[in-house]
Amino acid sequence: MDFSEQLIKHQQFFNRNCTRDITWRKQQLQQIKNLVIENEQAFLDALASDLGKPAQEAWITEVSYVTGDVDHVCKSLNNWAKKRRVATPIVAQPGRSYIQPEPQGTVLIIGAWNYPMQLILAPLVAVIAAGNCAIVKPSELAPATSELLAKLIPQYLDSQAISVVEGAVEETSALLSLPFDHIMYTGNGQVARIVMTAAAKNLTPVTLELGGKSPVYVDKSADITITAQRIAWGKWMNAGQTCIAPDYILTSADMVAPLVEALKKQIENMFGKNPKESKSYGRIVNTRHTQRISQYIADIAVEVGGDVDLEDKYIAPTIVINPPLDSALMTDEIFGAILPIITIDSFDDVKRFVKERDKPLSSYIFSKNKEQCQSWVNEISSGSQCINDVIMFNAVPELPFGGIGPSGMGQYSGKAGFDNFSHLKSVLTRPFVKDLPVRFAPYSKMKFKFLRWIR
Ligand code: NAD
């Protein structure tokens, strides 16, 4: 299996400077929008087939996410791509200095299955905006979406610059052996290590969009109904398979009963008495992951939910109170419909709990206490944060998306994505004017003194 000819074709096209043209980039971006709009129903069907995604949920988190991203990027692209002037110090005068964003070359985009359309097309928007070519590799665990992307991308986008490889480990490994100019990988940390090791062989820079256990702290002062509604939405959207979903809740012991009651009410409001029959509740991607998630509660008492149907890939919205901290439920990223609640009484202990663990992709606090919220922002390190909400920062196109430490490296969305896939080239331009002799040998005491003075 060898994809080197495919890469060479893109490299040759890139070297003809075609992708540096902003008009070409905007045409391709517009074509991504056309691809999505003209095939909206096909995408909704594919996402329903891969993950049982309700159409409204798929539309908001995948379809309109991508089209909105294209609009936002196209509006600002001219500005982002402009040279960025910086001051020139005396030693380099007369002269003018600027940063010129330039494309990197050909980028490999490897997607994950949980938002299988968005996790290919949104990075592709940033990659094309920055003037690069790309090979995209959708996740084989969402086969209907992968097949649809493989069919449509060649129809809509310039195939000299952008192409698709479908497949699993074998195909991805073959791609990873090639000298791409940048690799963007979305998925779990274990495979990220394989990706980074392969990239190191060619000194290829990587963007890693990973996951982790995103904590939520709920303070006594929080509005319990609004808090429960927002957490329930974020946790059980896509049946819990969202990288920035709340993984677990930290709260004081006296908050557990009212919080569980409020969450139960929200589950019923959103998915009815039997979520299995709800058209608004999705399914786990496959039997293996359904089994993995159900194992977390095999020996643990469940407070709410707990129903599992392996054949239907169904796991009910489930709440567990104070599971052992060394159980897999509390050490692995859950990435499924189970919500543990851990009781910790003091806010300092809550912060300590979070700091002692891997830096998460996101962290959330619900509180009316402004000082507490500010100290959460000041002290808790995570890819992103929301105060009094979950996930919604992702609806703000100019907020960069990406993790820190084990939750990832590099960022995209808006200008952050443009910069991430650009090389910010430093340029100094000088006229043919005689230079001060101080710069040149032979060195002397006088020149040294003068040099110190002008610095
Ligand atoms: P996955 O199984 O779809 O794998 C991701 C990609 O890696 C696929 O394209 C797959 O073909 C490839 N792959 C798998 N094994 C490989 C190997 N041995 N060598 C080379 N390539 C290989 O997805 P996943 O890893 O199950 O994704 C879930 C994880 O991704 C969770 O941790 C989640 O939090 C994270 N995630 C992060 C983001 C983000 O934007 N930060 C978004 C979605 C998911």
Side-chain angles (χ1 to χ4, degrees):
M1 194 166 294
D2 184 5
F3 300 103
S4 49
E5 272 183 29
Q6 202 165 326
L7 175 61
I8 289 167
K9 183 172 104 179
H10 296 330
Q11 286 169 332
Q12 286 170 344
F13 185 71
F14 180 80
N15 286 338
R16 297 214 299 274
N17 296 329
C18 310
T19 66
R20 290 181 187 255
D21 179 6
I22 300 286
T23 310
W24 179 89
R25 299 187 204 181
K26 284 190 178 167
Q27 274 165 357
Q28 295 304 304
L29 294 173
Q30 200 51 49
Q31 279 296 91
I32 293 186
K33 192 171 166 186
N34 294 341
L35 178 159
V36 172
I37 290 173
E38 289 167 18
N39 300 283
E40 183 180 300
Q41 193 53 50
F43 275 112
L44 296 180
D45 291 346
L47 293 164
S49 154
D50 286 333
L51 286 139
K53 274 198 196 199
Q56 185 177 330
E57 198 178 286
W59 188 83
I60 196 75
T61 58
E62 307 228 37
V63 172
S64 79
Y65 186 91
V66 173
T67 55
D69 200 23
V70 170
D71 289 342
H72 174 71
V73 168
C74 283
K75 211 163 61 195
S76 309
L77 186 53
N78 287 3
N79 267 341
W80 297 340
K82 269 188 199 154
K83 56 173 80 160
R84 304 171 192 177
R85 290 203 184 286
V86 297
T88 307
I90 291 176
V91 285
Q93 289 288 359
R96 284 197 297 168
S97 313
Y98 57 91
I99 296 162
Q100 179 63 64
E102 68 170 9
Q104 296 177 339
T106 303
V107 181
L108 171 62
I109 301 173
I110 305 170
W113 51 264
N114 58 329
Y115 290 88
M117 168 205 183
Q118 190 238 96
L119 292 175
I120 288 294
L121 294 183
L124 188 59
V125 168
V127 163
I128 292 175
N132 300 289
C133 297
I135 295 183
V136 305
K137 212 298 288 172
S139 175
E140 71 281 14
L141 296 194
T145 310
S146 173
E147 195 183 318
L148 189 59
L149 287 166
K151 182 179 111 185
L152 296 177
I153 286 177
Q155 286 174 20
Y156 281 81
L157 301 183
D158 188 337
S159 56
Q160 300 199 80
I162 298 130
S163 61
V164 186
V165 169
E166 277 198 283
V169 177
E170 201 185 339
E171 289 78 4
T172 317
S173 307
L175 285 166
L176 284 172
S177 69
L178 300 177
F180 282 91
D181 297 285
H182 195 126
I183 297 173
M184 153 119 194
Y185 164 80
T186 304
N188 67 75
Q190 255 173 330
V191 174
R193 285 165 174 81
I194 297 174
V195 170
M196 207 166 165
T197 305
K201 296 205 172 106
N202 294 310
L203 290 181
T204 300
V206 290
T207 298
L208 302 176
E209 296 290 345
L210 314 178
K213 290 181 86 62
S214 297
V216 185
Y217 171 62
V218 181
D219 186 60
K220 280 191 189 53
S221 63
D223 179 313
I224 199 100
T225 307
I226 294 175
T227 299
Q229 188 177 37
R230 291 177 183 170
I231 292 177
W233 168 80
K235 179 71 194 186
W236 290 298
M237 175 167 66
N238 201 20
Q241 303 163 109
T242 303
C243 55
I244 45 175
D247 189 279
Y248 61 93
I249 294 178
L250 298 166
T251 196
S252 52
D254 55 346
M255 283 291 287
V256 171
L259 191 56
V260 168
E261 248 344 275
L263 285 166
K264 261 166 85 172
K265 209 177 264 174
Q266 292 302 334
I267 292 170
E268 200 173 320
N269 288 348
M270 290 180 195
F271 310 118
K273 281 206 181 311
N274 183 4
K276 200 173 179 184
E277 284 166 7
S278 167
K279 292 209 162 25
S280 303
Y281 192 65
R283 290 296 182 267
I284 303 302
V285 66
N286 56 27
T287 315
R288 177 170 63 85
H289 276 283
T290 316
Q291 230 149 8
R292 172 186 67 80
I293 299 161
S294 66
Q295 277 306 308
Y296 290 142
I297 47 171
D299 304 316
I300 289 178
V302 156
E303 183 74 19
V304 175
D307 309 338
V308 175
D309 181 342
L310 274 186
E311 211 170 301
D312 190 22
K313 295 174 280 180
Y314 170 78
I315 296 191
T318 296
I319 299 174
V320 172
I321 301 184
N322 281 327
L325 294 182
D326 60 357
S327 61
L329 185 62
M330 284 311 297
T331 52
D332 293 356
E333 176 185 2
I334 299 168
F335 215 53
I338 304 166
L339 179 61
I341 299 179
I342 308 288
T343 55
I344 300 183
D345 282 325
S346 105
F347 182 55
D348 282 340
D349 289 342
V350 165
K351 288 187 288 185
R352 197 167 306 122
F353 186 95
V354 176
K355 286 180 201 175
E356 280 168 3
R357 286 161 172 76
D358 282 350
K359 287 177 184 165
L361 188 54
S362 206
S363 59
Y364 306 116
I365 180 170
F366 286 82
S367 171
K368 285 185 185 154
N369 180 334
K370 289 207 166 94
E371 267 174 40
Q372 213 175 43
C373 295
Q374 193 54 53
S375 91
W376 190 258
V377 175
N378 291 349
E379 291 181 39
I380 301 299
S381 193
S382 61
S384 47
Q385 282 177 333
C386 284
I387 295 168
N388 299 331
D389 209 337
V390 297
I391 295 181
M392 285 303 289
F393 72 88
N394 202 24
V396 183
E398 270 315 300
L399 286 178
F401 186 95
I404 172 167
S407 58
M409 61 179 73
Q411 294 176 314
Y412 69 119
S413 184
K415 182 166 178 291
F418 176 86
D419 284 353
N420 191 53
F421 294 110
S422 295
H423 166 59
L424 300 180
K425 183 166 69 182
S426 299
V427 182
L428 167 68
T429 166
R430 305 210 56 217
F432 289 110
V433 173
K434 211 166 178 317
D435 291 300
L436 292 173
V438 64
R439 171 176 152 189
F440 305 105
Y443 303 130
S444 68
K445 273 194 180 158
M446 271 297 285
K447 282 184 179 177
F448 201 1
K449 208 169 154 189
F450 184 66
L451 200 60
R452 282 182 188 279
W453 182 70
I454 60 168
R455 288 292 281 187

